[in-house]
Every structure is written in C-alpha cells, then in structure tokens.
Amino acid sequence: MSDAIKHECGIAQVRLLKPLEYYKEKYGTAFYGINKMYLLMEKQHNRGQDGAGFASIKLNTSPGDRYISRVRSNAAQPIQDIFEQINDRINAEIKENPEYANDVALQKKHIPYIGEVYLGHVRYGTFGKNSIENVHPFLRQNNWMHRNLIVAGNFNMTNVNQLFNNLVDLGQHPKERADTVTVMEKIGHFLDSEVQKLYKKLKKQGYSKVEASPMIAEKLNVVKILRKSSKNWDGGYAMAGLLGHGDSFVLRDPSGIRPAYYYKDNEVVVVASERPVIQTAFNVDYDDVKELEPGHAIITKKDGSVSIQQILEPLERKACSFERIYFSRGSDAEIYKERKMLGRLLMPEVLKSIKHDTINTVFSFIPNTAETSFYGMVEAAQDELNKQKNEAILAEKETLTDARLQEILAHRLRTEKIAIKDAKLRTFITEDSSRDDLVAHVYDVTYGVVKPEDSLVIIDDSIVRGTTLKKSIIKMLDRLNPKKIVIVSSAPQIRYPDCYGIDMARLEDLVAFRAALELLKDHNKYEIVEDVYKKCKEQVDLEDHEVENFVKEIYEPFTDEQISDKIAELISEPTVKAKIKVIYQTVDNLHKACPKNLGDWYFTGDYPTFGGNRVVNRAFINFFEGNKDRAY
C-alpha cells in the first residue's frame, strides 16, 4: 500500500502431543516444535516487524528445574534475532555438554526453549513506544505452577479504562492502563481465584499441597476462567495464552473481527492468524485447516485433550474486510480469489473514465500488495477488449480482409510495471522541504512506455491518507506525460477510524474526511461540523450501548463520486500536468468480493461493537478541539 500504516499483530501457538523422543526419532530432532514456530512466525512477518516474542513450556518437570522460557526482541529484524538467540543458546549448551547431543531427556532438562508448548507473536506497534516492554508474549509469574500465565494477542480493546477500573474494583493495583496489561491481569485474577477454590476443596478432602498440585492441573476449568475474564471485553481479538502447568488456549472475539485458524492431527495442535502459514509449515491441505469460530476458544489441556468451546455468545459476523484487502497473506486460496474479484469489479468505472479507449491506455499497479487486484482488473479489461474485437469483426464482416482481421486481432492490452518501489528511504533531515523531496523519490517509474495521448490506469489496494500519492506517486507518474492518470483503489473510501487493531485513530489523517470537510466549505454547509461536535459532546457520559455515530452526518450531503473527485483535487498539485481521476471500490462490491468478511466500519461507520461508536465520536471531538490524543 502506498500509505504506510501499521496494524494488528500475528500469533502462533504449537502444542506437541507426543513425547519429544517421538519427534527425534521421526524427524531427526527434538527441536521440531521450535523449527515449526520459526516457520509460523516468519511466514507471518507481514503482520508485524516492530517486535517479536517467543515462549515455551516444558511439561512434567521436577521442582527446581526451569520450565518456562521466553525471549523477545525489538531489533531491526526481530524474528531472526529471536531465533538466532535461541539457536546460539542451544548450540552453546550442546558444545559445553556433548552428552546432550543425542539424549532428548538431558536436552529437555537442561536446555532452555525446548519443550512441548510454544507461543509466538509478531508485533506492529499500533500504540505506545516500540520498547521491549511492549513486546508480547507477556508473562505473569508465580511460584505456583498453575498460576503462571503467558499471554500474547492480536487485539485492541475499546474500553481500556473500564477494564482498568474493573481491576481496581477487584482490589488490584495495575501498573498501567495498557489493554495488554489489563487483559492479562483480568485473566490472571480469575486464574488465581479458580486455583485457590480448587485447592480449598482438595484440602478439605485431606490432600496435601504436593498431592493437590497435579489434581488442580487436571481439574482447572479454562472455559470458566475465560468466560469470567472476557465478560466485559469490547474490541477485536484473537487472544492466546499458556498456563504454567501446560494448558493452552486461543480465544476469538464474538464478532470474528480478528482471525484465527487451527489444525490438529495426532502429533500436533497448531493455531495461527493465517491459514496458509499453517498449510505451508505443516504441508497440509486447505480443508485440513479450520477457522476458529467467533466467540469460541480452542483449549488444549495438559493431558493433550483438545476441545472447541463457546466462551461468548457469537454476534453478527463482522470479520475485518480491510484485513482481506491488504494485511493477510495473498497466498491463501480464498483471499487470492477475493483480491482478484476486487480488481475485476472496478473495471466498469475504469472503462467509463477512459471512455472505453483500451488502445490508448496503459494498466499498472502500485507494488506490491495491489498486484493481485491488478490481475483481476486486467482480466476484466481483457474481456472488454475481446468484446471490442468481436464488435469490430461483426461490424466489418462484409468488407473484412485478412490484413484488417490481423490488425483487429493484434490489438493487445497494454500492461506495464510502471511504479517501482525503491529500498526504504530514511528521511534523516527533518526540515520539511528536504523531507518532502526525499519522500517524492520513494517510488521510481519505468520510462518510455507511455505516450502523450495515453491514459494511465494504476491500481492501489487502498488510499488512506493520500500523502504518498501526493508527495511521490502522482508526481513520478506525471513525468511520463500521460494525458490522464486514473488512480484506482480496490478498497472503498476509508472514512472512519479503526479501534480494533489497525492504526487509524485520527479522523483528520483520513483523506476522505478532509475531502468531505472541503466539500462542506464549498457548499456553505460547514455548520454541520459544529452540529456534529455538539451531538458528540452530548453523548460523552452515556453508556456505550446508547451512543450513536453522528460523524456519518459529515458525509451525508455528498455522493461517493463527489468525495472521490475532491480527493483527486487534494492529492494533486498545480505542477501536475495530467488530469487526475480517483476511483474507489463501492461497499456493495466489497461485500460481493469478500462475502465472509463483512466488517466494513472503516467505510460505513457501522461498528460491530458498542465501543466503536464511542471511539469515532471521541475522534471527532479530538479533531474539533485540536486535541492530538488517541480516541481510545
């Protein structure tokens, strides 16, 4: 995507169901689980490059033996850094103790990271500094094995303050308001409570603490803990956790906003944010990988038993559509088809904008994520070209010569790789004019393929802020001297902030919002802005379920095309000679292309949770008051 934005994270969880000796015998190494975790995390690096973390648990260790290991990194290449640290430590231990090399029992006892339960996380820093303290997994330690809790998630909560206050009401003293801390402490509170209740029951029955410990592990009700913990969560999440004795879980939000997939056979249980990474890492078919249903958790007990349990009542499915358009790996079979369809559905508007003149049009894309939609758009353009050929042949059938037939058939669609993204340019100089000049060269172009009479159609997966288009792409494309540049977005106009993981917290950053404000000025309707502000302020003290999204009124006076045309003005500059046209996907076509992912709040303002309306109104209040704080 031309606009750099950050977003939700990626999780990976692996539970080995056989003794480590089994993997040594079958696969040649007891580090099978670590190797698979590396693949799962590396294949999800598209979901986060600001930080990465890895944790493991050894089952059935003796008191005094270390059974939890964790490593986190916020280095430039955090996944590689983590596994280099793990690899170096393993090699150092084996070098110092050669007897470990072929003895799995000694490896498990003495070498960290090797175990049966693993949790990995890749992170984009959507909020907060990119310090190591913000990198998942988070660890809540306790001398009771069962009370140790490791949590990592792809999530964002809209009601962090409420969750924080709930913890205070429980008598806790949380160290900060971050949603990760509040979520982990909420789970930890009910974990502590459940362990304590079980111990009291067993004590009454005459069991000692030593005797009670394995019985607590067996009886611990993870479903009950998760139901109590998540009762008041408002947000999108795929929450993964490990308990010190070996239980593990992944819980998905009831609207299915954030994704989670799982695979199970007699050797392993694996959960990840992306289906194709499981397919690749474990060489299994598409149908073997299942989607975790909204509001459900996959729970693996210490004894290896696996169950899918409903934790929360599922709501209307609102899986994030923007994730399908951009963030998820395009190698997923469904996602690949959906992205192609997004491109295909745009073609009627594109043809209208070029007056069906495919002879004098060059088609291209913004690398790299828009490439798949480009293929779909080109297929639709090829259909149009074939139609034009048929019409020409039929119109001239009485006088058609071989030479003329060859001339008609020789007409081919003109597709070129026009935009080339160079290595990331660092703007070391902070003075504005210098920085703008450097930003303008993030992309380069292919010269010599566009004629002055040509239109240039170029597709991007989305236009969020419009900054890179204005500062770089359009200026670069204009150097090719086309008569017209048509910028096509495979996503609809992004009008509202996200509050479930993607870093779009401020309304004024969105080019569609700025365009609507300009249109209000042009039509002498800017008083609507103050009216909306007053309505938003009147709702500040209401309960979330009572709040309405009044920001929709900013867009209501105008058609989608009016806003698109104003965006074209905003992203162009007087120095640009070509005529600029912007075409966005429609919401209806988005739903046709992505029928399972109907979470469209970015485009429609229809938030799937009550907290979303409060967030969008707060974002508008912040904009109106000039407050740079986040809305959640």
Side-chain angles (χ1 to χ4, degrees), residues 554-580:
I554 297 293
Y555 299 97
E556 283 174 0
F558 311 111
T559 66
D560 291 356
E561 189 170 5
Q562 283 178 296
I563 293 174
S564 294
D565 289 344
K566 180 56 71 172
I567 289 170
E569 290 181 30
L570 293 179
I571 63 174
S572 187
E573 291 188 347
T575 56
V576 174
K577 300 184 292 292
K579 182 181 179 183
I580 306 299

Side-chain angles (χ1 to χ4, degrees), residues 182-241:
T182 54
V183 164
M184 182 174 68
E185 291 302 330
K186 195 73 177 291
I187 299 171
H189 169 80
F190 289 108
L191 172 62
D192 289 347
S193 176
E194 185 70 9
V195 170
Q196 191 63 32
K197 287 176 184 176
L198 287 171
Y199 170 66
K200 285 181 178 178
K201 285 182 182 178
L202 292 167
K203 184 180 179 182
K204 282 183 180 180
Q205 296 171 23
Y207 294 99
S208 68
K209 290 181 178 179
V210 173
E211 293 170 329
S213 188
M215 300 179 75
I216 291 172
E218 182 184 337
K219 295 175 180 293
L220 195 66
N221 190 335
V222 178
V223 171
K224 187 176 176 182
I225 293 167
L226 292 178
R227 281 179 181 156
K228 288 183 175 181
S229 303
S230 61
K231 184 179 179 182
N232 295 318
W233 292 354
D234 187 293
Y237 49 88
M239 199 73 63

Side-chain angles (χ1 to χ4, degrees), residues 74-137:
N74 60 349
Q77 295 183 308
I79 300 171
Q80 291 88 333
D81 182 48
I82 279 172
F83 285 93
E84 281 176 10
Q85 290 184 53
I86 293 171
N87 191 51
D88 290 347
R89 180 66 186 275
I90 290 171
N91 288 337
E93 291 284 350
I94 292 176
K95 185 176 180 180
E96 291 175 18
N97 304 277
E99 67 274 18
Y100 295 175
N102 293 301
D103 191 319
V104 176
L106 289 177
Q107 289 176 0
K108 179 176 174 178
K109 182 176 177 64
H110 296 289
I111 299 179
Y113 308 118
I114 184 172
E116 293 88 355
V117 195
Y118 301 95
L119 178 59
H121 187 267
V122 291
R123 175 182 187 267
Y124 262 131
T126 57
F127 183 45
K129 296 177 181 178
N130 190 33
S131 64
I132 197 69
E133 288 80 14
N134 291 320
V135 178
H136 302 206

Side-chain angles (χ1 to χ4, degrees), residues 521-586:
K521 292 176 186 175
D522 294 345
H523 290 76
N524 296 316
K525 294 182 177 180
Y526 203 75
E527 70 277 1
I528 291 175
V529 174
E530 189 165 352
D531 291 342
V532 170
Y533 170 71
K534 290 176 181 176
K535 290 177 180 178
C536 291
K537 287 290 282 187
E538 287 169 359
Q539 297 189 106
V540 167
D541 295 324
L542 297 181
E543 295 293 325
D544 282 355
H545 68 274
E546 300 175 302
V547 176
E548 295 180 53
N549 177 1
F550 284 112
V551 182
K552 291 183 178 184
E553 295 180 12
I554 297 293
Y555 299 97
E556 283 174 0
F558 311 111
T559 66
D560 291 356
E561 189 170 5
Q562 283 178 296
I563 293 174
S564 294
D565 289 344
K566 180 56 71 172
I567 289 170
E569 290 181 30
L570 293 179
I571 63 174
S572 187
E573 291 188 347
T575 56
V576 174
K577 300 184 292 292
K579 182 181 179 183
I580 306 299
K581 175 70 175 174
V582 173
I583 296 173
Y584 278 92
Q585 188 72 262
T586 66

Side-chain angles (χ1 to χ4, degrees), residues 334-618:
E334 274 189 354
I335 292 171
Y336 185 79
K337 291 176 184 176
E338 289 170 8
R339 289 183 180 172
K340 283 186 72 176
M341 182 57 70
L342 287 167
R344 175 175 280 278
L345 291 172
L346 282 159
M347 203 58 208
E349 285 302 311
V350 171
L351 289 169
K352 192 188 303 181
S353 72
I354 62 171
K355 298 180 179 177
H356 291 256
D357 182 7
T358 55
I359 292 175
N360 295 304
T361 301
V362 175
F363 295 89
S364 192
F365 62 93
I366 303 294
N368 292 312
T369 52
E371 188 170 2
T372 306
S373 294
F374 168 72
Y375 292 140
M377 185 175 73
V378 166
E379 285 181 2
Q382 190 62 56
D383 291 344
E384 168 66 17
L385 182 57
N386 291 338
K387 177 185 172 186
Q388 292 176 7
K389 290 180 181 181
N390 289 340
E391 289 173 352
I393 291 169
L394 290 172
E396 302 177 35
K397 64 181 178 182
E398 303 297 336
T399 59
L400 197 61
T401 63
D402 284 347
R404 175 57 181 151
L405 179 61
Q406 289 303 315
E407 182 184 344
I408 294 171
L409 295 177
H411 180 194
R412 287 181 170 82
L413 206 64
R414 296 169 62 194
T415 60
E416 304 288 352
K417 187 166 186 179
I418 296 291
I420 302 160
K421 191 168 187 178
D422 287 330
K424 189 174 184 180
L425 293 172
R426 301 282 182 180
T427 52
F428 297 108
I429 303 169
T430 58
E431 187 259 326
D432 284 349
S433 60
S434 300
R435 183 171 63 246
D436 286 351
D437 184 60
L438 286 169
V439 169
H441 292 85
V442 169
Y443 288 87
D444 205 346
V445 288
T446 303
Y447 293 94
V449 295
V450 177
K451 304 188 298 291
E453 63 269 26
D454 286 338
S455 293
L456 176 56
V457 174
I458 193 153
I459 190 169
D460 200 351
D461 46 36
S462 61
I463 304 169
V464 184
R465 300 184 181 108
T467 307
T468 309
L469 277 172
K470 181 172 184 172
K471 299 291 186 183
S472 176
I473 294 170
I474 288 176
K475 288 181 179 179
M476 298 297 287
L477 296 177
D478 194 52
R479 293 181 185 181
L480 303 176
N481 296 314
K483 68 176 183 183
K484 186 175 188 179
I485 299 171
V486 182
I487 304 292
V488 185
S489 170
S490 66
Q493 295 167 4
I494 296 172
R495 299 180 170 192
Y496 303 94
D498 181 56
C499 51
Y500 304 117
I502 295 172
D503 193 17
M504 298 182 199
R506 290 171 38 166
L507 272 169
E508 59 268 37
D509 288 343
L510 307 178
V511 70
F513 180 75
R514 299 200 306 274
L517 294 181
E518 291 301 315
L519 285 169
L520 289 171
K521 292 176 186 175
D522 294 345
H523 290 76
N524 296 316
K525 294 182 177 180
Y526 203 75
E527 70 277 1
I528 291 175
V529 174
E530 189 165 352
D531 291 342
V532 170
Y533 170 71
K534 290 176 181 176
K535 290 177 180 178
C536 291
K537 287 290 282 187
E538 287 169 359
Q539 297 189 106
V540 167
D541 295 324
L542 297 181
E543 295 293 325
D544 282 355
H545 68 274
E546 300 175 302
V547 176
E548 295 180 53
N549 177 1
F550 284 112
V551 182
K552 291 183 178 184
E553 295 180 12
I554 297 293
Y555 299 97
E556 283 174 0
F558 311 111
T559 66
D560 291 356
E561 189 170 5
Q562 283 178 296
I563 293 174
S564 294
D565 289 344
K566 180 56 71 172
I567 289 170
E569 290 181 30
L570 293 179
I571 63 174
S572 187
E573 291 188 347
T575 56
V576 174
K577 300 184 292 292
K579 182 181 179 183
I580 306 299
K581 175 70 175 174
V582 173
I583 296 173
Y584 278 92
Q585 188 72 262
T586 66
V587 173
D588 286 345
N589 280 344
L590 171 68
H591 292 167
K592 288 177 186 175
C594 307
K596 295 181 180 178
N597 284 54
L598 300 178
D600 59 9
W601 57 91
Y602 312 90
F603 321 115
T604 64
D606 296 333
Y607 288 89
T609 74
F610 292 127
N613 288 337
R614 177 172 49 77
V615 167
V616 68
N617 286 349
R618 168 50 62 186

Side-chain angles (χ1 to χ4, degrees), residues 301-321:
K301 292 290 291 177
K302 181 192 174 186
D303 62 9
S305 59
V306 182
S307 63
I308 308 293
Q309 301 283 346
Q310 181 178 310
I311 305 300
L312 297 163
E313 184 71 30
L315 304 174
E316 183 182 1
R317 181 186 169 93
K318 291 290 183 179
C320 177
S321 56

Side-chain angles (χ1 to χ4, degrees), residues 152-169:
N154 168 14
F155 71 100
N156 203 69
M157 300 299 175
T158 71
N159 60 334
V160 177
N161 289 336
Q162 179 191 348
L163 297 176
F164 178 89
N165 292 334
N166 288 346
L167 291 175
V168 174
D169 292 342

Side-chain angles (χ1 to χ4, degrees), residues 508 620-629:
E508 59 268 37
F620 189 85
I621 292 169
N622 287 349
F623 149 73
F624 191 89
E625 296 178 351
N627 184 348
K628 301 300 183 184
D629 291 344

